[in-house]
């Protein structure tokens, strides 16, 4: 199981990536600062074609995202990495739906105190999550795991 530079902290020894949409991660720097984020395993791509009647038809397919080499889209995180500050990239939990992934990211930021931690927390915004969560059994167990991990940090 090639995780790139990510350390597996999900509690799942063998992750079948085909079963999941993405993961919640934490980047912990040697100076004590930290960042929570999410990353999808797959990118949706679209192929367009025309029916004989002239109507357009869109077909969706998925390609693997750059998650193995990805670090963060945060400017503060990128700056710390450029400065040479050591870090650990940790995969904390995996989820089966995009909605639950977004919810879990906000939960991790709030529950860990990162949003309020002015000195060490790097998260400055929360993303809007709308609609139903649509969780599956795997999501429920990973949300419990995430709450345990983030709650222990406070």
């Amino acid at each position: 199981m090639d995780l790139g530079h990510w350390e597996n902290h999900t509690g799942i020894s063998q992750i079948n990536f085909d079963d999941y949409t993405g993961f919640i991660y934490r980047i912990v720097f040697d100076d004590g600062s930290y960042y929570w984020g999410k990353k999808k395993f797959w990118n949706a791509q679209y192929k367009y074609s025309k029916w004989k009647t002239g109507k357009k038809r869109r077909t969706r397919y998925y390609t693997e995202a750059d998650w193995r080499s990805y670090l963060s889209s945060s400017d503060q995180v990128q700056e710390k990495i450029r400065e040479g500050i050591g870090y650990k990239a940790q995969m904390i939990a995996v989820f089966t739906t995009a909605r639950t992934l977004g919810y879990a990211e906000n939960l991790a930021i709030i529950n860990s105190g990162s949003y309020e931690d002015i000195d060490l927390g790097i998260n400055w915004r929360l993303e809007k999550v709308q609609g139903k969560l649509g969780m599956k059994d795997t999501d429920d167990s990973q949300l419990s795991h995430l709450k345990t991990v983030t709650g222990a940090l406070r």
Side-chain angles (χ1 to χ4, degrees):
M1 178 170 68
D2 176 22
L3 296 177
H5 62 273
W6 298 101
E7 297 174 1
N8 184 357
H9 291 263
T10 63
I12 301 172
S13 58
Q14 291 294 321
I15 301 171
N16 181 359
F17 303 110
D18 291 339
D19 295 339
Y20 298 99
T21 296
F23 62 98
I24 299 300
Y25 66 86
R26 176 177 60 197
I27 297 177
V28 182
F29 289 95
D30 291 348
D31 65 2
S33 60
Y34 55 97
Y35 178 84
W36 289 91
K38 68 180 176 189
K39 182 64 180 167
K40 290 185 178 178
F41 292 123
W42 309 100
N43 290 326
Q45 304 287 323
Y46 298 95
K47 181 179 180 179
Y48 295 93
S49 58
K50 285 189 176 182
W51 292 66
K52 290 181 182 180
T53 60
K55 286 187 173 182
K56 286 186 181 180
R57 180 174 126 181
R58 183 172 86 163
T59 306
R60 180 172 53 187
Y61 64 97
Y62 294 92
T63 58
E64 188 172 359
D66 63 345
W67 66 270
R68 286 183 174 89
S69 60
Y70 179 83
L71 276 169
S72 175
S73 60
S74 165
D75 293 337
Q76 293 96 339
V77 169
Q78 296 296 330
E79 181 62 29
K80 285 180 173 286
I81 292 169
R82 279 192 295 276
E83 290 172 3
I85 298 173
Y87 64 90
K88 291 181 181 175
Q90 303 169 334
M91 184 184 294
I92 304 296
V94 291
F95 294 97
T96 57
T97 65
R99 285 183 177 150
T100 307
L101 186 62
Y103 171 80
E105 178 189 27
N106 289 327
L107 176 70
I109 292 167
I110 292 169
N111 204 32
S112 69
S114 176
Y115 192 68
E116 301 166 344
D117 190 348
I118 296 169
D119 296 325
L120 298 176
I122 301 176
N123 296 93
W124 297 108
R125 67 182 174 92
L126 298 176
E127 291 195 20
K128 182 171 41 172
V129 179
Q130 295 178 335
K132 298 178 182 178
L133 287 180
M135 292 192 315
K136 298 180 182 174
D137 291 339
T138 306
D139 289 333
D140 190 38
S141 65
Q142 283 291 282
L143 272 177
S144 295
H145 172 71
L146 182 64
K147 287 178 184 177
T148 302
V149 170
T150 57
L153 298 174
R154 284 196 149 215

